Amino acid sequence: MATSRTFRPAALIGAVAALGASVPAVASGIEVDTPATSATAPARSGSPTSAVDRVADFYGAYIDILYDSGRGGPANALRGHYLTEQLRSSLARWEAVHHKDGVLRAKGVPIAWKVVYNDSGMGHCWTRVTLTWQDSGNRVHRTQLMVQSDLATRLISGIKAV
């Protein structure tokens, strides 16, 4: 009998805790992108020694910063960390002429990004970056960039539209 009295409050507390954990997201109206099971969740991983992973890390962080707070100090700090000095100078000239962000080769902020290995040779690695954009009419379009990295430093040394 003592076992059943102890079990019921413990079961009730567990059920309330489980319900309470899911209610705030539903009640607040915020959509939470949670997969049904961890087996179906996409894995994200990387290595600081991989030029391709560094390009993905840079584009992910750069787009997040632009989305959250716009251009400025944090975006410039990322450029300083991930891009060669020569590329930063080249981007400044390109941006002055085109009045667009040279890293994205566009105005605005994309809604998604994808980075895949393309080729390597002669001390460089090329990755293909696909940026997904959504216009005011909710139409989705994509642009592609070819990004060059120096294998010795793993710094991004070139960006061009494909």
Side-chain angles (χ1 to χ4, degrees):
M1 189 84 143
T3 306
S4 64
R5 288 184 191 176
T6 319
F7 174 73
R8 285 183 185 165
L12 180 59
I13 290 170
V16 170
L19 179 60
S22 64
V23 170
V26 174
S28 67
I30 297 172
E31 291 185 30
V32 180
D33 184 20
T34 54
T37 68
S38 61
T40 61
R44 291 185 170 100
S45 62
S47 169
T49 61
S50 166
V52 175
D53 289 348
R54 290 180 64 89
V55 170
D57 292 344
F58 169 69
Y59 271 89
Y62 189 74
I63 290 167
D64 285 350
I65 283 176
L66 295 181
Y67 182 83
D68 293 343
S69 58
R71 287 159 182 78
N76 290 335
L78 277 175
R79 286 179 174 214
H81 182 76
Y82 284 95
L83 310 180
T84 64
E85 185 176 338
Q86 183 179 359
L87 178 58
R88 291 193 309 271
S89 296
S90 174
L91 288 176
R93 288 188 302 275
W94 189 93
E95 290 169 342
V97 171
H98 295 92
H99 307 288
K100 296 178 181 178
D101 185 300
V103 170
L104 304 174
R105 294 292 199 245
K107 288 185 178 183
V109 180
I111 60 169
W113 54 268
K114 181 173 131 181
V115 175
V116 296
Y117 170 81
N118 192 76
D119 197 8
S120 60
M122 302 295 293
H124 295 98
C125 175
W126 289 270
T127 51
R128 185 175 299 270
V129 176
T130 303
L131 303 174
T132 302
W133 305 85
Q134 187 171 20
D135 65 18
S136 59
N138 289 329
R139 290 179 300 266
V140 174
H141 65 278
R142 290 173 180 76
T143 58
Q144 290 193 342
L145 306 172
M146 190 62 65
V147 177
Q148 176 183 311
S149 299
D150 294 338
L151 290 175
T153 63
R154 294 177 314 280
L155 294 177
I156 297 170
S157 56
I159 300 171
K160 67 179 183 176
V162 181

